[in-house]
Amino acid sequence: MSIGVNVPRKDGQSKVNGQAAYVDDLSFDGMLYGVTLRSQIPHGKIRAIQFDPKFDWSSVVVVDHSDIPGQNIVTLIQRDQPFLAAQLIRHVNEPILLIAATSRKKAMEARTRIEIIVDELPSVTNLEKAATGVRLYGEDNLFKEIHIEKGDLPRGFAEADYIVERTYKTGLQEQMYIEPQGVIAVPGKDRISIYGSLQCPHYVVKALLPLLSFSHPDQVQVIQMVTGGGFGGKEEYPNLLAGHAALLAMKSECPVKMVYDRAEDILATTKRHPSIIRHKTGLKSDGTLTALAIEIDFDGGAYATLSEVVLSRGCIHAAGPYRCENIDIVGRAWATNNPPNGAFRGFGAPQTCFALERQIDLVAKTLGIDPLEVRRRNAMEPGDSTATGQVLTESVATHKCLEQAVKASDYIRKRSEYSKLLPKARIRRGIGLSLFFHGSGFTGDGENRIRGRAGLQVTPDGFIEILTSSTDIGQGTETIFAQMVAEELGIPVDLCRNAGVDTNRVPDSGPTVASRTCMIVGDLVRSAAAQLREDLIKWLAELENCNAEQITLVGGCFLLSGQRVASFQDLAKRACSEGGPASASKTYVQPEGLEWDEKTYQGQAYPVFSWGCDVAEVEIDLDTYEISVTRFTAAQDVGKAIHPVMVMGQIEGGSLQAIGYATMEEVLQKNGWIENHRMTNCLIPTALDAPAFETHIIEEPFSGGPFGAKGVGELPTDGGAPAVAAAIDHATGQRFDEIPVTPEKIELALNP
Amino acid sequence: MKIDCTINGSPTVLDVSPMRRLIDLLREEMKLTGTKEGCGEGECGACTVLIDGEAVNSCLVIASQIQGRQVVTIEGLTPRSGLTPLQESFVRKGGLQCGICTPGMIVAARALLDKNLEPDALEIRTAIAGNLCRCTGYHRIVDSILEAAELERSRLSLVDTAPPDL
């Protein structure tokens, strides 16, 4: 038995002894170091580039847009972003030139000897002025507009006893993986190899082929190094960075390493979209929600990147896990002259979940009932339908999560006890909760468009190699895939190992995003193992001259009519050397009956949802207005926990990112500039800022997932912020509708 | 400048610029790449090493400051084969995910346990407050160090109570 067992992590030993090789630990003979020269204005035209004649330019390699052999476009969704600005600058810190030298110091010295002369243009760096400011994109500055309608909104408001309205705001958030972005490009004859810290190796292949004017995918080899965190930040950005390193490598004909320092990483890479979300809700006096009108604005920044899909997920999650027959959601992703925003764990849902959960708390306040009670009355159950009209048929765990978290946290008693502390105590306590969901896998028919593949290969020594391009970025992919194969074959986990991610060798399993790795790619791996077992049994039946039905594979041994005939490893070795079945592969097939309309946003948005309830407790010091999140109880449903310790690690780590988002993580942006681009002033929680976690895994299995499993990666980042904000409300008696809730904001609210 | 020091137990003479950062010296000259750089300004703690038993950020130390000192990195804390109980606890209890903070975190934990083998959770959190982790939420790191402390205590008490050699 391997499923549900905390087997040792495959990457555990090499990560605790310092041997795990990250990209900056790798070097090549003759390797150069690359740096980037960036724009210093939010919008303008390049008039001239001046090179200091006193500098020895023969000692460095310089690349500009004219050195690009193919297309100067970063391949993603829209074709709007250049690898290097040619004429037009659209945001601060946009790359213009690349420089490589034998040392990073020398390349940086050269960078100071170049001056970009620009003509500045008027810019838009404020989301609230994105519609009315200068034209930046298309006719209306909209990267994307989405409209989701359900039922009859005017009727819903007509039926309401109360109507409540409120506007919510969320800020920029930096992924702040501890390993900054980095790649090494190694040139070859008509080919290039990229070694990188990245989530989606095949994205890089697709981006580099047109850049370098290569025609065959094998000409771009992408190898994922051990990756020091991603959280979405290493989804699409590595396309750009790998392109830069590749251009320098092709021109210099030398390997080129580009590893950002922390400041450059914060200044230049994508972040979570800031949002403004307006809610108008109709409700009956018994708490029934009759109408939900939601208007969502995201700041996409200067280029489209993934904004339209981030907005899409945000919109689909905007009405949350609540029953309501009349819903109207309008979402817009705007072009501005801020640095582009992109993927960050949760992918639009943390913003819309924050707004909705705060609105549900407002509904409770309006009715004079506890926030828990509103959620109990409105939480979805099987048979209910979501905003897109998706009827929930199985694996719905709203009430289980809610009741488990409430009980484990002692929410009801504490809610009443802390209320009595008001208003005299210096240290005030508060407790708040949130209920939320997250769709597993790509939206709608997205998986069908990707058609992910995974394979298994038997090695000559009788081990099973797992071939996928799903990257382990800390979440434990390598380990859970091995567990799934071991379980399906009834063999020890130690016989299963990951082949590593090299695009020249492994199939394209689709990107490592969207809470899809365990559920979608995991099921491909599992079914490949089932295929291999069946093929081996058939082959053994031929060898033994018997019926396949007489053979079973139990405990690592093949049994013929109950008698042991071969160990798995021996037969696997034989299959490998004698031309027997030594490999298996699977390609995603869309389940029958999946209906999704991309135009109307109607139908089955996700194969299934994961569910969660968070309860946060805070203490606020009324002398300093400091906020401590003291305890955090999470009850989250993942279908089946393949590796419970790693699932709890996902829940706790994601929750702390959400707690930081709510209280201390603030990226200050002014006129398109990020002002706090250092870890000393762009803070994330330390061990002393983090609460004690009480984590409960709920398992409401999904018939379409491997062993019942659903996604867990993003779910925990959705619910933490509103739970913390609710607790701060409770402690202070004030309402906070904008995050982060900083001590300064609390001081202002308490001393108006 | 010639610098005499001890690195991971080996007496070492280095001929380097006195202003060279210790992290670069370790990673580039000594090829001890277990020490990681996350920020270069002493905030993240990924580059934590021991100098005379104290946990310090090697990105804030220059070569001339290690003259005559004992420097220990994650490589120096790892036995020739296998792992220490502290390292094993990190693997078993979920104290690591992406792993980039892990060497520094283990070095910081070692510095704590060498001084205090009975730390409580708050003492552990204080000791690793200079080591940022973005993956775990710290809860399982604290658990890993608590478990390691217990394991090390029980080994010590075994030694203490062992009968005298016959």
Side-chain angles (χ1 to χ4, degrees):
Chain A
M1 290 294 287
S2 306
I3 298 299
V5 178
N6 297 316
V7 303
R9 286 184 72 106
K10 290 278 181 188
D11 52 353
Q13 173 149 345
S14 64
K15 285 179 173 175
V16 295
N17 68 15
Q19 294 304 303
Y22 298 78
V23 67
D24 202 22
D25 303 334
L26 186 67
S27 57
F28 290 86
D29 288 341
M31 188 172 80
L32 305 180
Y33 297 81
V35 300
T36 314
L37 178 66
R38 300 176 179 280
S39 61
Q40 304 296 303
I41 54 164
H43 196 199
K45 281 193 174 141
I46 300 170
R47 188 162 15 115
I49 298 178
Q50 292 175 349
F51 292 82
D52 183 348
K54 289 186 204 117
F55 186 81
D56 175 13
W57 293 101
S58 69
S59 65
V60 299
V61 177
V62 178
V63 160
D64 73 7
H65 69 94
S66 67
D67 290 303
I68 293 175
Q71 297 173 20
N72 186 14
I73 298 167
V74 184
T75 304
L76 202 60
I77 300 174
Q78 303 298 333
R79 297 169 55 81
D80 62 333
Q81 184 175 19
F83 277 94
L84 293 169
Q87 231 205 333
L88 192 63
I89 292 166
R90 299 183 56 130
H91 66 88
V92 173
N93 282 310
E94 179 160 11
I96 299 171
L97 288 180
L98 306 165
I99 305 146
T102 49
S103 74
R104 192 173 145 79
K105 198 177 161 195
K106 189 163 188 189
M108 286 165 77
E109 156 72 13
R111 187 170 59 180
T112 64
R113 306 297 191 91
I114 303 171
E115 200 178 344
I116 310 281
I117 314 292
V118 293
D119 295 320
E120 204 164 345
L121 294 168
S123 59
V124 186
T125 55
N126 181 342
L127 173 57
E128 288 171 69
K129 291 180 184 154
T132 54
V134 286
R135 285 288 150 259
L136 299 173
Y137 187 89
E139 288 177 3
D140 48 13
N141 283 359
L142 274 174
F143 287 130
K144 181 79 173 177
E145 182 162 10
I146 289 169
H147 198 178
I148 303 176
E149 282 179 287
K150 180 186 180 188
D152 181 344
L153 193 75
R155 199 182 71 195
F157 281 119
E159 286 171 357
D161 297 323
Y162 303 91
I163 292 172
V164 287
E165 286 183 74
R166 196 79 110 180
T167 299
Y168 302 93
K169 290 183 185 177
T170 63
L172 265 182
Q173 190 184 19
E174 163 59 36
Q175 292 88 354
M176 205 70 97
Y177 30 72
I178 306 297
E179 179 206 27
Q181 305 254 4
V183 303
I184 299 173
V186 182
K189 189 177 168 4
D190 295 327
R191 57 175 282 124
I192 193 134
S193 296
I194 301 289
Y195 298 80
S197 176
L198 42 88
Q199 290 177 229
C200 307
H202 284 91
Y203 275 11
V204 176
V205 175
K206 285 170 197 155
L208 264 52
L209 287 172
L211 172 73
L212 302 175
S213 208
F214 286 159
S215 52
H216 195 276
D218 280 355
Q219 290 177 279
V220 178
Q221 177 188 32
V222 179
I223 294 168
Q224 183 225 358
M225 300 297 291
V226 179
T227 297
F231 317 116
K234 293 173 185 169
E235 175 175 351
E236 79 279 22
Y237 194 84
N239 293 4
L240 188 69
L241 178 54
H244 289 168
L247 289 170
L248 281 170
M250 296 305 270
K251 186 162 179 183
S252 67
E253 299 180 349
C254 292
V256 173
K257 177 185 274 192
M258 293 185 82
V259 175
Y260 286 171
D261 62 21
R262 181 57 60 182
E264 184 170 24
D265 198 298
I266 294 176
L267 287 169
T269 71
T270 53
K271 312 204 186 316
R272 191 183 305 291
H273 294 72
S275 76
I276 301 172
I277 301 171
R278 295 165 204 85
H279 268 267
K280 183 177 173 188
T281 307
L283 53 136
K284 285 192 175 291
S285 48
D286 66 357
T288 307
L289 302 174
T290 61
L292 281 170
I294 307 166
E295 217 183 316
I296 301 157
D297 289 303
F298 280 0
D299 181 349
Y303 294 109
T305 68
L306 295 168
S307 288
E308 69 175 76
V309 272
V310 173
L311 178 72
S312 168
R313 193 173 274 265
C315 286
I316 293 170
H317 287 73
Y322 301 108
R323 207 164 26 245
C324 181
E325 292 312 314
N326 308 297
I327 298 175
D328 188 284
I329 299 164
V330 177
R332 304 178 203 94
W334 295 97
T336 65
N337 292 111
N338 289 319
N341 293 310
F344 188 167
R345 192 176 189 180
F347 213 70
Q351 294 95 317
T352 58
C353 175
F354 172 77
L356 176 73
E357 284 303 279
R358 299 277 44 222
Q359 180 76 359
I360 296 292
D361 285 350
L362 186 61
V363 165
K365 197 175 178 198
T366 306
L367 296 172
I369 60 175
D370 194 273
L372 167 62
E373 202 46 44
V374 182
R375 289 172 172 87
R376 276 178 173 159
R377 290 181 199 174
N378 292 290
M380 281 179 179
E381 290 168 23
D384 289 332
S385 67
T386 66
T388 66
Q390 175 173 353
V391 177
L392 301 172
T393 53
E394 62 165 330
S395 194
V396 182
T398 45
H399 288 285
K400 267 192 192 173
C401 293
L402 190 60
E403 298 309 324
Q404 180 69 37
V406 162
K407 187 175 153 212
S409 62
D410 202 9
Y411 170 88
I412 294 169
R413 183 186 66 77
K414 286 176 179 168
R415 184 88 185 169
S416 133
E417 188 186 311
Y418 296 166
S419 297
K420 292 175 196 148
L421 291 176
L422 283 168
K424 284 187 185 151
R426 179 189 142 198
I427 303 287
R428 290 205 190 154
R429 294 201 170 88
I431 187 166
L433 56 74
S434 62
L435 184 67
F436 50 96
F437 67 168
H438 201 94
S440 302
F442 273 120
T443 303
D445 56 359
E447 292 295 346
N448 205 33
R449 278 180 270 137
I450 294 276
R451 284 187 188 275
R453 291 178 290 136
L456 300 177
Q457 177 68 49
V458 177
T459 66
D461 52 356
F463 284 75
I464 305 288
E465 263 195 335
I466 303 163
L467 292 94
T468 77
S469 62
S470 296
T471 51
D472 196 324
I473 54 173
Q475 79 284 47
T477 306
E478 287 184 22
T479 309
I480 61 164
F481 281 177
Q483 286 177 273
M484 291 180 189
V485 172
E487 181 79 12
E488 195 63 44
L489 293 174
I491 59 173
V493 177
D494 291 345
L495 279 185
C496 310
R497 59 195 185 204
N498 210 275
V501 178
D502 171 347
T503 57
N504 275 182
R505 175 150 192 244
V506 298
D508 185 354
S509 316
T512 304
V513 302
S515 304
R516 65 184 291 277
T517 299
C518 176
M519 188 178 91
I520 302 285
V521 187
D523 204 48
L524 294 174
V525 168
R526 183 205 58 76
S527 58
Q531 180 72 55
L532 183 64
R533 182 188 57 204
E534 200 177 305
D535 293 348
L536 282 168
I537 285 175
K538 271 190 205 154
W539 188 60
L540 183 60
E542 282 168 30
L543 296 175
E544 295 287 331
N545 216 358
C546 67
N547 282 328
E549 291 74 37
Q550 292 171 272
I551 298 176
T552 50
L553 173 53
V554 181
C557 290
F558 290 94
L559 308 179
L560 171 53
S561 307
Q563 296 294 309
R564 182 182 189 279
V565 281
S567 76
F568 177 85
Q569 200 171 8
D570 286 342
L571 191 75
K573 275 187 210 170
R574 233 181 119 183
C576 202
S577 63
E578 295 174 22
S583 65
S585 67
K586 287 285 171 185
T587 301
Y588 176 83
V589 179
Q590 182 165 292
E592 275 179 38
L594 190 153
E595 282 181 24
W596 171 253
D597 186 332
E598 186 72 34
K599 289 199 179 70
T600 61
Y601 268 70
Q602 289 298 302
Q604 201 178 346
Y606 301 101
V608 72
F609 293 89
S610 297
W611 312 87
C613 176
D614 289 342
V615 179
E617 293 172 55
V618 302
E619 284 183 8
I620 294 169
D621 183 327
L622 288 195
D623 281 354
T624 62
Y625 303 105
E626 273 179 298
I627 308 156
S628 314
V629 180
T630 53
R631 191 167 185 79
F632 195 91
T633 308
Q636 302 193 7
D637 157 51
V638 300
K640 173 72 192 173
I642 305 297
H643 189 296
V645 160
M646 294 201 306
V647 168
M648 290 192 278
Q650 284 296 300
I651 294 173
E652 290 156 10
S655 295
L656 188 59
Q657 290 178 354
I659 291 166
Y661 187 40
T663 57
M664 64 191 295
E665 293 186 30
E666 189 166 35
V667 181
L668 300 166
Q669 211 169 33
K670 197 173 173 188
N671 301 328
W673 275 95
I674 289 167
E675 297 186 309
N676 52 340
H677 55 270
R678 304 167 66 169
M679 274 184 163
T680 48
N681 50 18
C682 191
L683 304 181
I684 60 166
T686 69
L688 285 170
D689 300 312
F693 284 99
E694 183 168 337
T695 310
H696 296 263
I697 297 173
I698 308 291
E699 294 182 321
E700 190 68 44
F702 169 49
S703 61
F707 312 99
K710 306 187 281 191
V712 62
E714 296 174 283
L715 177 74
T717 50
D718 293 349
V724 169
I728 295 172
D729 278 15
H730 188 220
T732 59
Q734 301 290 323
R735 261 194 72 87
F736 293 92
D737 297 328
E738 188 177 332
I739 47 172
V741 185
T742 54
E744 291 83 353
K745 284 182 191 157
I746 294 180
E747 185 189 8
L748 268 178
L750 291 174
N751 307 286
Chain B
M1 173 181 178
K2 281 221 162 52
I3 290 163
D4 277 296
C5 59
T6 304
I7 296 181
N8 292 334
S10 305
T12 307
V13 182
L14 293 157
D15 192 5
V16 291
S17 152
M19 291 301 286
R20 192 94 188 268
R21 299 187 309 167
L22 176 57
I23 185 175
D24 298 331
L25 217 154
L26 293 169
R27 288 179 53 84
E28 291 163 18
E29 305 297 321
M30 310 290 296
K31 306 294 174 203
L32 296 169
T33 54
T35 301
K36 306 298 182 189
E37 178 161 357
C39 70
E41 55 182 21
E43 279 295 319
C44 77
C47 66
T48 305
V49 299
L50 299 178
I51 298 183
D52 292 347
E54 295 288 338
V56 297
N57 291 312
S58 61
C59 71
L60 297 183
V61 174
I62 54 170
S64 58
Q65 290 176 301
I66 61 162
Q67 170 64 38
R69 307 286 195 100
Q70 302 248 3
V71 178
V72 178
T73 68
I74 187 67
E75 290 87 353
L77 292 179
T78 304
R80 229 169 245 163
S81 71
L83 299 171
T84 61
L86 177 61
Q87 290 170 318
E88 279 172 0
S89 290
F90 267 74
V91 178
R92 189 163 45 242
K93 303 290 278 187
L96 70 100
Q97 287 183 30
C98 84
I100 195 80
C101 76
T102 310
M105 199 66 84
I106 287 174
V107 171
R110 184 72 266 150
L112 169 70
L113 297 182
D114 283 345
K115 293 189 185 73
N116 175 6
L117 206 47
E118 291 182 80
D120 61 23
L122 183 61
E123 287 170 321
I124 291 172
R125 285 177 184 273
T126 306
I128 61 167
N131 295 76
L132 295 176
C133 167
R134 190 57 156 166
C135 295
T136 63
Y138 302 104
H139 189 84
R140 274 155 221 287
I141 292 176
V142 175
D143 276 359
S144 303
I145 300 170
L146 278 172
E147 186 194 74
E150 198 183 319
L151 283 170
E152 291 189 17
R153 282 200 306 273
S154 67
R155 286 192 183 189
L156 275 184
S157 68
L158 277 178
V159 174
D160 289 346
T161 57
D165 288 342
L166 292 174

